[in-house]
RNA sequence: AGGUCUAUAGUGUAACGGUUAGCACUGCUGAUUUUGAUUCAGUAAGUGAGGGUUCAAAUCCUUCUAGACCUACCA
């Protein structure tokens, strides 16, 4: 664990560059011009699902900016935007906090809930009514929709638009008390029904909802809409820069309207950036929830998903996710990032910090014919050949070992460097062996290899006349442990390259998850959950955080495969 | 189609009117290698299209094209 931590620091330190995206430039200017003394950002998730890699981008941005400007007292608030009790749940609150923390960010004392501001929102609504800037609309849902018009048809005014302040106040009170039921009335801002921006056609700011809220219980029968609540939340918390994704661009005029027309403590500025798009995957909460509910996946933290908890369970490091977010950058351009960029980041990080371990997924028994019966020799192997600090470990070698079935070919092509009849190969960290004979069963399947080890080849080059171009992984039959390995397909199908729309459910069925038993070296018997190592030639594996030991077997998830150019 | 926004190698980005358009990943070639990994070296590939302003345009103007988002009593 300590080794990993040290490596992680190195990884992060060596990759800090001073590139500024357009948002950081705006902030730097505001600081330089004295418009703001410091910068206060916020990350405002709705507790209606787990965080995913897309949220990580927003988290790295808002919390990252706060960290970078810490000298001036900058901070980033974690605020739960819980204004719709119908969709939200406390479970999500805890999971979100856990994920933000795991990603390496800290909100300090600045944890907030939009629901704690319900009184404030209400006061603002009353203020608007008194100013003649809001009115209670008694039209039906259909009428409201009809009268809003559409992109081509301009909206028409509600018959209730010019009700008196006193009437509006009284009606709003009836909404609040529950006298006016759900769907019977809404409070709307009075702006402009002819605006080309649909969000300015007298947007709804309060609706009646007789739902129990996870925080305020049954205290309220009316709840503010996001468009109304969000600017007020930001203003109340004195957020200077409110960073959100591009789809809120057209909401900004109303955001500014609300701040300008309500009694606010500050004037926050909303700035939009492009959300993360990854190809071959599905991130939307709606779809993931569907997969969870239908038990297509084991939960929000299923390692096949791109949720933060799924990635964590799969073995991704927080560092690699942060680095990935830094690499895709912050722009207004809606590009699609290739999944391989993400995978490349973990691979790069894990290569530095993960210890090397040997495992055999598809075992083929090898008997060393010239090895004395009962003899056991301890091999000393590097934990990480590139990092001497990682130390060494001891591995017992006996008369019989398992090797990967793929490492033997009866009729090998020219470029195959591993075992074949008459060929030599090194047992990694140990002796060079030569294959003399193949044992087959009645059906002609290879069941065992009879090999000869060549003495004095541990740590030595191959003797004259012996060609040895590869070192393969092996596990002693006598000493090896049984483990279970889960190989998850990357979350995509090549047949649905455009984001899974129709096919993602199918891709997530059993084909995307292969359970395999494996033989692993004895040193893996003592590792902690979350331990990551490289199974030579197979990729990087992580002990499953949930199912570290399942029955008698260790459980590993594959984090990411090795690059394997020779297979192409 | 109404609005808002975007357009730089395959991908993600930098260049803020001024050298030869920079970087990273990917690709390809080669070297090292007790992991066909890693590492290292080399190499290929770009300003969506047309017009204009200017001594000078990726950058400013204009037309076109392509894409994204918006049209919820969700956030």
């Amino acid at each position: 664990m300590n080794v990993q931590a040290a490596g992680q620091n190195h990884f992060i330190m060596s990759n800090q560059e001073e590139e500024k995206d357009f948002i950081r430039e705006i902030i730097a200017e505001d600081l330089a011009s004295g418009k703001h003394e410091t910068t206060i950002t916020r990350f405002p998730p709705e507790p209606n699902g787990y965080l995913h890699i897309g949220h990580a981008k927003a988290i790295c941005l808002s919390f990252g900016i706060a960290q970078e400007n810490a000298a001036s007292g900058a901070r980033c608030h974690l605020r739960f935007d819980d204004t719709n009790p119908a969709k939200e749940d406390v479970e999500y609150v805890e999971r979100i906090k856990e994920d933000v923390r795991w990603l390496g960010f800290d909100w300090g004392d600045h944890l907030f809930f939009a629901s704690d501001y319900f009184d404030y929102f209400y006061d603002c609504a009353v203020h608007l009514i008194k100013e003649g800037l809001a009115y209670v609309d008694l039209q039906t849902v259909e009428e409201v929709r009809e009268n809003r018009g559409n992109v081509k048809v301009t909206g028409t005014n509600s018959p209730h638009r010019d009700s008196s302040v006193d009437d509006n106040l009284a009606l709003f009170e009836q909404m609040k008390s529950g006298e006016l039921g759900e769907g019977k009335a809404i409070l709307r801002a009075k702006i402009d029904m002819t605006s080309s921006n649909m969000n300015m056609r007298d947007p709804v700011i309060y609706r009646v909802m007789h739902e129990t809220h996870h925080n305020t219980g049954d205290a309220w029968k009316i709840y503010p809409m996001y468009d109304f609540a969000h600017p007020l939340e930001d203003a109340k918390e004195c957020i200077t820069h409110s960073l959100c994704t591009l789809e809120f661009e057209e909401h900004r005029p109303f955001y500014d309207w609300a701040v300008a027309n309500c009694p606010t403590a500050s004037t926050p500025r909303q700035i939009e950036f492009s959300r993360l798009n990854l190809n071959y995957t599905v991130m939307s909460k709606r779809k993931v929830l569907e997969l969870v509910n239908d038990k297509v996946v084991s939960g929000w933290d299923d390692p096949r998903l791109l949720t933060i908890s799924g990635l964590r369970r799969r073995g991704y490091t927080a560092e690699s996710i942060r680095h990935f977010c830094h690499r895709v950058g912050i722009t207004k351009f809606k590009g699609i990032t290739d999944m391989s960029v993400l995978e490349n980041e973990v691979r790069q990080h894990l290569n530095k910090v993960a210890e090397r371990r040997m495992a055999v997924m598809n075992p083929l028994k090898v008997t060393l014919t010239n090895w004395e019966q009962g003899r056991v020799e301890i091999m000393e192997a590097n934990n990480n050949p590139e990092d001497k600090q990682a130390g060494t470990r001891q591995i017992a070698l006996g008369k019989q070992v398992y090797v990967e079935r793929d490492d033997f070919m009866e009729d090998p092509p020219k470029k195959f460097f591993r075992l074949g009849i008459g060929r030599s190969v090194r047992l990694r960290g140990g002796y060079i062996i030569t294959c003399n004979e193949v044992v087959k069963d009645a059906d002609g399947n290879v069941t065992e290899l009879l090999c000869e080890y060549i003495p004095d080849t541990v740590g030595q080059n191959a003797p004259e006349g012996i060609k040895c171009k590869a070192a393969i992984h092996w596990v002693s039959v006598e000493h090896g442990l049984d483990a279970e390995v889960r190989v998850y397909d990357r979350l995509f199908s090549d047949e649905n390259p455009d984001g899974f729309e129709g096919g993602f459910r199918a891709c997530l069925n059993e084909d995307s998850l292969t359970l395999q038993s494996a033989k692993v070296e004895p040193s893996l018997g003592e590792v902690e959950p979350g331990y990551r190592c490289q199974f030579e030639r197979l990729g990087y594996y992580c002990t499953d955080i949930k199912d570290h030991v399942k029955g008698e077997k260790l459980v590993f998830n594959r984090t990411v495969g090795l690059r394997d150019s020779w297979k192409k």
Side-chain angles (χ1 to χ4, degrees), chain A residues 49-52 91-92 95 99 282 284-285 287-314 486 488 491 508 513 544 546-547:
Chain A
Y50 282 41
L51 264 24
H52 55 61
E91 183 211 339
Y92 298 127
R95 295 288 80 79
D99 288 346
V282 50
S284 101
K285 281 187 191 170
K287 286 178 185 163
V288 173
L289 182 62
E290 200 180 306
L291 297 174
V292 172
N293 287 341
D294 296 353
K295 306 225 185 298
V296 177
V297 293
S298 62
W300 285 92
D301 63 349
D302 188 293
R304 284 166 292 183
L305 298 174
L306 254 47
T307 51
I308 304 294
S309 49
L311 288 168
R312 174 170 64 230
R313 201 175 150 198
R314 187 165 178 155
R486 282 185 293 216
Y488 294 94
L491 191 67
L508 277 172
L513 193 174
D544 192 309
K546 268 193 170 173
D547 306 319

Side-chain angles (χ1 to χ4, degrees), chain A residues 109 155 161 204 277 284:
Chain A
D109 299 330
R161 197 172 199 264
V204 179
N277 285 305
S284 101

Side-chain angles (χ1 to χ4, degrees), chain A residues 67-133:
Chain A
Q67 279 181 354
E68 291 154 26
N69 295 285
S72 67
R75 60 179 190 261
C76 179
H77 297 182
L78 175 62
R79 179 172 70 226
F80 287 94
D81 215 346
D82 52 354
T83 56
N84 183 358
K87 286 179 153 188
E88 295 150 9
D89 196 293
V90 270
E91 183 211 339
Y92 298 127
V93 171
E94 290 311 312
R95 295 288 80 79
I96 289 170
K97 282 154 78 173
E98 188 182 320
D99 288 346
V100 173
R101 238 183 252 121
W102 178 76
L103 272 175
F105 298 103
D106 182 16
W107 52 88
D109 299 330
H110 309 288
L111 174 66
F112 302 101
F113 289 84
S115 52
D116 286 337
Y117 308 148
F118 280 165
D119 285 321
Y120 173 58
F121 301 145
Y122 173 76
D123 291 343
C124 286
V126 169
H127 172 85
L128 288 178
I129 295 173
K130 288 180 176 166
E131 294 288 315
L133 292 172

Side-chain angles (χ1 to χ4, degrees), chain A residues 80-229:
Chain A
F80 287 94
D81 215 346
D82 52 354
T83 56
N84 183 358
K87 286 179 153 188
E88 295 150 9
D89 196 293
V90 270
E91 183 211 339
Y92 298 127
V93 171
E94 290 311 312
R95 295 288 80 79
I96 289 170
K97 282 154 78 173
E98 188 182 320
D99 288 346
V100 173
R101 238 183 252 121
W102 178 76
L103 272 175
F105 298 103
D106 182 16
W107 52 88
D109 299 330
H110 309 288
L111 174 66
F112 302 101
F113 289 84
S115 52
D116 286 337
Y117 308 148
F118 280 165
D119 285 321
Y120 173 58
F121 301 145
Y122 173 76
D123 291 343
C124 286
V126 169
H127 172 85
L128 288 178
I129 295 173
K130 288 180 176 166
E131 294 288 315
L133 292 172
Y135 62 96
V136 173
D137 197 341
L138 299 169
Q139 293 182 106
T140 64
V141 177
E142 293 73 28
E143 285 167 339
V144 170
R145 189 179 301 135
E146 182 70 21
N147 290 340
R148 182 165 29 237
N150 57 46
V151 292
K152 290 176 188 167
V153 181
T154 156
T156 51
N157 286 168
S158 163
H160 310 284
R161 197 172 199 264
D162 295 314
S163 307
S164 72
V165 169
D166 288 341
D167 286 351
N168 281 323
L169 250 17
L171 285 167
F172 190 45
E173 215 46 45
Q174 287 178 31
M175 286 170 64
K176 186 182 179 224
S177 69
E179 224 173 299
L180 276 167
E182 289 185 33
K184 296 283 186 266
I186 49 174
L187 185 70
R188 301 178 74 175
K190 193 190 288 185
I191 306 180
D192 180 8
M193 289 304 288
T194 67
S195 171
S196 60
N197 184 341
M198 300 297 290
N199 299 304
M200 298 299 269
R201 318 244 263 227
D202 289 9
V204 179
I205 59 180
Y206 257 102
R207 81 283 215 187
V208 178
M209 271 185 122
H210 294 188
E211 290 268 355
T212 301
H213 190 281
H214 74 91
N215 182 22
T216 58
D218 295 316
W220 291 87
K221 304 238 181 314
I222 51 173
Y223 291 92
M225 301 293 289
Y226 165 88
D227 275 343
F228 183 57

Side-chain angles (χ1 to χ4, degrees), chain A residues 3-4 16 45 106 124 209 340 342 371 402 443 526 537:
Chain A
V3 172
Q4 291 201 354
Q16 260 179 9
D106 182 16
C124 286
M209 271 185 122
S340 64
L342 211 211
W371 187 278
Y402 293 115
D443 299 326
E526 296 159 15
R537 271 220 187 84

Side-chain angles (χ1 to χ4, degrees), chain A residues 402-541:
Chain A
Y402 293 115
V403 300
E404 200 65 54
R405 195 164 279 271
D406 289 348
D407 286 345
F408 170 80
M409 281 188 96
E410 225 180 332
D411 187 17
K414 284 179 195 115
K415 289 254 177 174
F416 188 82
F417 303 147
R418 289 162 279 162
L419 276 177
I421 298 165
R423 290 177 176 235
S424 299
V425 80
R426 180 183 297 278
L427 293 180
R428 186 152 163 81
Y431 291 96
I432 292 176
I433 62 171
T434 306
C435 179
N436 296 322
E437 208 175 320
V438 179
V439 180
K440 295 181 181 177
D441 64 13
D443 299 326
N445 300 312
V446 177
T447 56
E448 187 181 346
L449 301 179
L450 301 181
C451 300
E452 203 178 321
Y453 85 95
I454 305 175
D456 297 325
T457 48
V458 178
Q460 312 286 322
N461 287 331
E464 284 296 312
I466 300 287
K467 263 194 274 181
C468 175
K469 296 188 77 175
I472 64 171
H473 44 159
W474 54 275
V475 173
S476 166
V477 171
E478 185 188 340
H479 307 89
L481 303 175
D482 286 328
E484 188 172 271
V485 154
R486 282 185 293 216
V487 180
Y488 294 94
D489 252 8
R490 293 204 296 185
L491 191 67
F492 73 74
S493 148
D494 288 326
E495 288 156 24
N496 290 297
D498 292 322
F500 260 102
E501 281 310 323
F504 71 90
R505 295 176 69 94
C507 298
L508 277 172
N509 284 321
E510 62 260 34
D511 289 351
S512 60
L513 193 174
T514 320
L515 271 177
Q516 289 184 33
S517 57
K519 303 286 181 186
V520 300
E521 61 171 79
S523 63
L524 286 169
E526 296 159 15
V527 297
E528 300 288 316
Y531 173 86
R532 299 180 192 85
C533 61
Q534 185 193 93
F535 285 172
E536 313 222 332
R537 271 220 187 84
L538 300 173
Y540 295 93
Y541 287 82

